Amino acid sequence: MADSSFDIVSKVERQEVDNALNQAAKEISQRYDFKGVGASISWSGDKILMEANSEDRVKAILDVFQSKLIKRGISLKALDAGEPQLSGKEYKIFASIEEGISQENAKKVAKIIRDEGPKGVKAQVQGDELRVSSKNRDDLQAVIALLKGKDFDFALQFVNYR
C-alpha cells in the first residue's frame, strides 16, 4: 500500500484579506470617533497602510482591521504589523501579510514531528511547505493533533490529505 501524506503550509487567501480591508475601511469612514481625523486604511503595493492624526487612533484602526481578519477566519499570526511612525503630522502603520513557512520554521516543525510524533512518520521540506508522510493514516492524524496543540508564531494549515 502507498504512503498517505499531507502538506503543512502557511497560506493566506488574498481575496479574504482584501474583503477584511474593505470592511475595515467602511467602518472607519462611518465611525464617529474617526470623523475628520484623516483616518484611512488601504493597500500600498503589497503592504497595508493605516494612517491617522494620532498614535491612539492609528492603533484603533489596526484593532478594527484585526477584528475583521478574525471574522474572516484569517489567523493574526499571518499579519506582521509595524509600530506607529510619525510622518509629518500623520501617524502611519505599515503591515504585511506573511505567507510560506521559512526554512528554519520548517526545520523546527520537522524536528517536533521526529521527536514527539509517532514512529515511521517522515517529514521533508519542499520549498515553503512541509510534506508529512506515513504508511498509517492514524499516525498522520496524530501528527496533525500534535501540531495543533503547539503554539507556533506562524499560521499553519494542513492540505492535500491523501
mmCIF file of all heavy atoms in Angstrom, residues 90-114:
data_model
loop_
_atom_site.group_PDB
_atom_site.id
_atom_site.type_symbol
_atom_site.label_atom_id
_atom_site.label_comp_id
_atom_site.label_asym_id
_atom_site.label_seq_id
_atom_site.Cartn_x
_atom_site.Cartn_y
_atom_site.Cartn_z
ATOM 1 N N GLU A 90 1.045 63.078 10.397
ATOM 2 C CA GLU A 90 0.293 61.825 10.399
ATOM 3 C C GLU A 90 1.066 60.706 11.082
ATOM 4 O O GLU A 90 2.292 60.653 10.995
ATOM 5 C CB GLU A 90 0.032 61.378 8.947
ATOM 6 C CG GLU A 90 -0.818 62.312 8.136
ATOM 7 C CD GLU A 90 -2.279 61.966 8.239
ATOM 8 O OE1 GLU A 90 -2.628 60.829 7.898
ATOM 9 O OE2 GLU A 90 -3.054 62.825 8.671
ATOM 10 N N TYR A 91 0.346 59.827 11.730
ATOM 11 C CA TYR A 91 0.930 58.583 12.235
ATOM 12 C C TYR A 91 0.568 57.484 11.246
ATOM 13 O O TYR A 91 -0.567 57.425 10.759
ATOM 14 C CB TYR A 91 0.380 58.234 13.620
ATOM 15 C CG TYR A 91 1.073 58.975 14.729
ATOM 16 C CD1 TYR A 91 0.623 60.212 15.150
ATOM 17 C CD2 TYR A 91 2.192 58.434 15.353
ATOM 18 C CE1 TYR A 91 1.258 60.902 16.164
ATOM 19 C CE2 TYR A 91 2.837 59.110 16.367
ATOM 20 C CZ TYR A 91 2.365 60.336 16.774
ATOM 21 O OH TYR A 91 3.006 61.012 17.780
ATOM 22 N N LYS A 92 1.541 56.631 10.932
ATOM 23 C CA LYS A 92 1.316 55.556 9.968
ATOM 24 C C LYS A 92 1.762 54.222 10.551
ATOM 25 O O LYS A 92 2.729 54.167 11.299
ATOM 26 C CB LYS A 92 2.111 55.803 8.683
ATOM 27 C CG LYS A 92 1.704 57.047 7.934
ATOM 28 C CD LYS A 92 2.518 57.211 6.682
ATOM 29 C CE LYS A 92 2.064 58.476 5.949
ATOM 30 N NZ LYS A 92 2.703 58.606 4.656
ATOM 31 N N ILE A 93 1.035 53.180 10.189
ATOM 32 C CA ILE A 93 1.454 51.808 10.487
ATOM 33 C C ILE A 93 1.464 51.055 9.162
ATOM 34 O O ILE A 93 0.483 51.092 8.416
ATOM 35 C CB ILE A 93 0.491 51.095 11.459
ATOM 36 C CG1 ILE A 93 0.526 51.745 12.840
ATOM 37 C CG2 ILE A 93 0.850 49.609 11.570
ATOM 38 C CD1 ILE A 93 -0.408 51.095 13.845
ATOM 39 N N PHE A 94 2.580 50.402 8.874
ATOM 40 C CA PHE A 94 2.651 49.522 7.713
ATOM 41 C C PHE A 94 2.533 48.090 8.206
ATOM 42 O O PHE A 94 3.190 47.706 9.172
ATOM 43 C CB PHE A 94 3.983 49.696 6.966
ATOM 44 C CG PHE A 94 4.049 50.943 6.139
ATOM 45 C CD1 PHE A 94 4.679 52.079 6.625
ATOM 46 C CD2 PHE A 94 3.475 50.989 4.880
ATOM 47 C CE1 PHE A 94 4.743 53.239 5.878
ATOM 48 C CE2 PHE A 94 3.527 52.144 4.116
ATOM 49 C CZ PHE A 94 4.167 53.270 4.614
ATOM 50 N N ALA A 95 1.684 47.312 7.559
ATOM 51 C CA ALA A 95 1.505 45.906 7.921
ATOM 52 C C ALA A 95 1.640 45.067 6.659
ATOM 53 O O ALA A 95 1.310 45.518 5.564
ATOM 54 C CB ALA A 95 0.139 45.693 8.551
ATOM 55 N N SER A 96 2.155 43.859 6.825
ATOM 56 C CA SER A 96 2.249 42.953 5.675
ATOM 57 C C SER A 96 1.661 41.604 6.070
ATOM 58 O O SER A 96 1.555 41.268 7.247
ATOM 59 C CB SER A 96 3.700 42.810 5.224
ATOM 60 O OG SER A 96 4.492 42.288 6.275
ATOM 61 N N ILE A 97 1.295 40.846 5.055
ATOM 62 C CA ILE A 97 0.744 39.511 5.260
ATOM 63 C C ILE A 97 1.853 38.512 4.959
ATOM 64 O O ILE A 97 2.389 38.486 3.849
ATOM 65 C CB ILE A 97 -0.472 39.272 4.339
ATOM 66 C CG1 ILE A 97 -1.562 40.321 4.571
ATOM 67 C CG2 ILE A 97 -1.010 37.862 4.504
ATOM 68 C CD1 ILE A 97 -2.195 40.281 5.935
ATOM 69 N N GLU A 98 2.215 37.718 5.963
ATOM 70 C CA GLU A 98 3.301 36.738 5.818
ATOM 71 C C GLU A 98 2.743 35.434 5.264
ATOM 72 O O GLU A 98 1.778 34.899 5.792
ATOM 73 C CB GLU A 98 3.950 36.467 7.179
ATOM 74 C CG GLU A 98 4.527 37.695 7.844
ATOM 75 C CD GLU A 98 5.739 38.263 7.137
ATOM 76 O OE1 GLU A 98 6.560 37.465 6.655
ATOM 77 O OE2 GLU A 98 5.850 39.492 7.064
ATOM 78 N N GLU A 99 3.390 34.922 4.221
ATOM 79 C CA GLU A 99 2.984 33.646 3.644
ATOM 80 C C GLU A 99 4.187 32.745 3.489
ATOM 81 O O GLU A 99 5.309 33.212 3.331
ATOM 82 C CB GLU A 99 2.329 33.849 2.279
ATOM 83 C CG GLU A 99 0.949 34.432 2.349
ATOM 84 C CD GLU A 99 0.213 34.282 1.041
ATOM 85 O OE1 GLU A 99 0.662 34.848 0.039
ATOM 86 O OE2 GLU A 99 -0.804 33.580 1.039
ATOM 87 N N GLY A 100 3.928 31.452 3.520
ATOM 88 C CA GLY A 100 5.010 30.483 3.368
ATOM 89 C C GLY A 100 5.699 30.207 4.696
ATOM 90 O O GLY A 100 5.701 31.043 5.590
ATOM 91 N N ILE A 101 6.241 29.012 4.815
ATOM 92 C CA ILE A 101 6.972 28.630 6.021
ATOM 93 C C ILE A 101 8.455 28.788 5.711
ATOM 94 O O ILE A 101 8.949 28.204 4.746
ATOM 95 C CB ILE A 101 6.660 27.170 6.407
ATOM 96 C CG1 ILE A 101 5.156 26.988 6.648
ATOM 97 C CG2 ILE A 101 7.432 26.753 7.645
ATOM 98 C CD1 ILE A 101 4.738 25.558 6.889
ATOM 99 N N SER A 102 9.168 29.569 6.518
ATOM 100 C CA SER A 102 10.600 29.760 6.284
ATOM 101 C C SER A 102 11.338 28.454 6.536
ATOM 102 O O SER A 102 10.834 27.549 7.201
ATOM 103 C CB SER A 102 11.141 30.867 7.190
ATOM 104 O OG SER A 102 11.111 30.429 8.537
ATOM 105 N N GLN A 103 12.561 28.349 6.015
ATOM 106 C CA GLN A 103 13.355 27.122 6.168
ATOM 107 C C GLN A 103 13.550 26.770 7.639
ATOM 108 O O GLN A 103 13.391 25.616 8.027
ATOM 109 C CB GLN A 103 14.724 27.294 5.485
ATOM 110 C CG GLN A 103 14.662 27.304 3.972
ATOM 111 C CD GLN A 103 14.294 25.943 3.402
ATOM 112 O OE1 GLN A 103 14.617 24.918 3.972
ATOM 113 N NE2 GLN A 103 13.596 25.952 2.284
ATOM 114 N N GLU A 104 13.882 27.772 8.463
ATOM 115 C CA GLU A 104 14.140 27.476 9.875
ATOM 116 C C GLU A 104 12.874 27.024 10.592
ATOM 117 O O GLU A 104 12.909 26.119 11.423
ATOM 118 C CB GLU A 104 14.782 28.667 10.579
ATOM 119 C CG GLU A 104 13.905 29.879 10.670
ATOM 120 C CD GLU A 104 14.656 31.182 10.475
ATOM 121 O OE1 GLU A 104 15.691 31.182 9.806
ATOM 122 O OE2 GLU A 104 14.179 32.190 11.000
ATOM 123 N N ASN A 105 11.715 27.646 10.266
ATOM 124 C CA ASN A 105 10.463 27.218 10.882
ATOM 125 C C ASN A 105 10.071 25.817 10.421
ATOM 126 O O ASN A 105 9.558 25.021 11.203
ATOM 127 C CB ASN A 105 9.339 28.214 10.574
ATOM 128 C CG ASN A 105 9.482 29.503 11.347
ATOM 129 O OD1 ASN A 105 10.156 29.553 12.372
ATOM 130 N ND2 ASN A 105 8.871 30.565 10.851
ATOM 131 N N ALA A 106 10.316 25.513 9.140
ATOM 132 C CA ALA A 106 10.021 24.175 8.620
ATOM 133 C C ALA A 106 10.885 23.132 9.333
ATOM 134 O O ALA A 106 10.412 22.042 9.669
ATOM 135 C CB ALA A 106 10.263 24.124 7.116
ATOM 136 N N LYS A 107 12.137 23.485 9.608
ATOM 137 C CA LYS A 107 13.027 22.554 10.325
ATOM 138 C C LYS A 107 12.553 22.346 11.759
ATOM 139 O O LYS A 107 12.625 21.229 12.284
ATOM 140 C CB LYS A 107 14.468 23.076 10.300
ATOM 141 C CG LYS A 107 15.120 22.931 8.935
ATOM 142 C CD LYS A 107 16.517 23.496 8.922
ATOM 143 C CE LYS A 107 17.098 23.402 7.518
ATOM 144 N NZ LYS A 107 18.376 24.087 7.408
ATOM 145 N N LYS A 108 12.060 23.412 12.407
ATOM 146 C CA LYS A 108 11.523 23.287 13.771
ATOM 147 C C LYS A 108 10.346 22.313 13.796
ATOM 148 O O LYS A 108 10.259 21.447 14.663
ATOM 149 C CB LYS A 108 11.030 24.647 14.289
ATOM 150 C CG LYS A 108 12.095 25.580 14.784
ATOM 151 C CD LYS A 108 11.411 26.825 15.336
ATOM 152 C CE LYS A 108 12.348 28.007 15.321
ATOM 153 N NZ LYS A 108 11.661 29.266 15.610
ATOM 154 N N VAL A 109 9.415 22.485 12.831
ATOM 155 C CA VAL A 109 8.232 21.627 12.769
ATOM 156 C C VAL A 109 8.642 20.186 12.489
ATOM 157 O O VAL A 109 8.147 19.250 13.124
ATOM 158 C CB VAL A 109 7.232 22.142 11.700
ATOM 159 C CG1 VAL A 109 6.085 21.171 11.520
ATOM 160 C CG2 VAL A 109 6.704 23.520 12.089
ATOM 161 N N ALA A 110 9.584 19.985 11.563
ATOM 162 C CA ALA A 110 10.053 18.634 11.231
ATOM 163 C C ALA A 110 10.699 17.976 12.447
ATOM 164 O O ALA A 110 10.506 16.780 12.697
ATOM 165 C CB ALA A 110 11.030 18.688 10.061
ATOM 166 N N LYS A 111 11.446 18.749 13.228
ATOM 167 C CA LYS A 111 12.095 18.210 14.425
ATOM 168 C C LYS A 111 11.052 17.795 15.465
ATOM 169 O O LYS A 111 11.173 16.729 16.086
ATOM 170 C CB LYS A 111 13.055 19.245 15.014
ATOM 171 C CG LYS A 111 13.821 18.747 16.245
ATOM 172 C CD LYS A 111 14.908 19.709 16.639
ATOM 173 C CE LYS A 111 15.630 19.372 17.904
ATOM 174 N NZ LYS A 111 15.667 18.009 18.330
ATOM 175 N N ILE A 112 10.009 18.599 15.633
ATOM 176 C CA ILE A 112 8.935 18.252 16.575
ATOM 177 C C ILE A 112 8.261 16.951 16.129
ATOM 178 O O ILE A 112 7.995 16.065 16.949
ATOM 179 C CB ILE A 112 7.912 19.398 16.690
ATOM 180 C CG1 ILE A 112 8.532 20.564 17.471
ATOM 181 C CG2 ILE A 112 6.626 18.924 17.367
ATOM 182 C CD1 ILE A 112 7.700 21.821 17.483
ATOM 183 N N ILE A 113 8.013 16.824 14.813
ATOM 184 C CA ILE A 113 7.383 15.603 14.299
ATOM 185 C C ILE A 113 8.290 14.401 14.543
ATOM 186 O O ILE A 113 7.831 13.345 14.983
ATOM 187 C CB ILE A 113 7.055 15.749 12.795
ATOM 188 C CG1 ILE A 113 5.945 16.803 12.606
ATOM 189 C CG2 ILE A 113 6.635 14.409 12.201
ATOM 190 C CD1 ILE A 113 5.713 17.200 11.177
ATOM 191 N N ARG A 114 9.590 14.554 14.300
ATOM 192 C CA ARG A 114 10.547 13.456 14.516
ATOM 193 C C ARG A 114 10.634 13.070 15.987
ATOM 194 O O ARG A 114 10.626 11.894 16.328
ATOM 195 C CB ARG A 114 11.948 13.881 14.033
ATOM 196 C CG ARG A 114 12.402 13.221 12.767
ATOM 197 C CD ARG A 114 13.888 13.402 12.492
ATOM 198 N NE ARG A 114 14.522 14.587 13.039
ATOM 199 C CZ ARG A 114 14.576 15.775 12.451
ATOM 200 N NH1 ARG A 114 14.016 15.948 11.282
ATOM 201 N NH2 ARG A 114 15.184 16.789 13.033
#
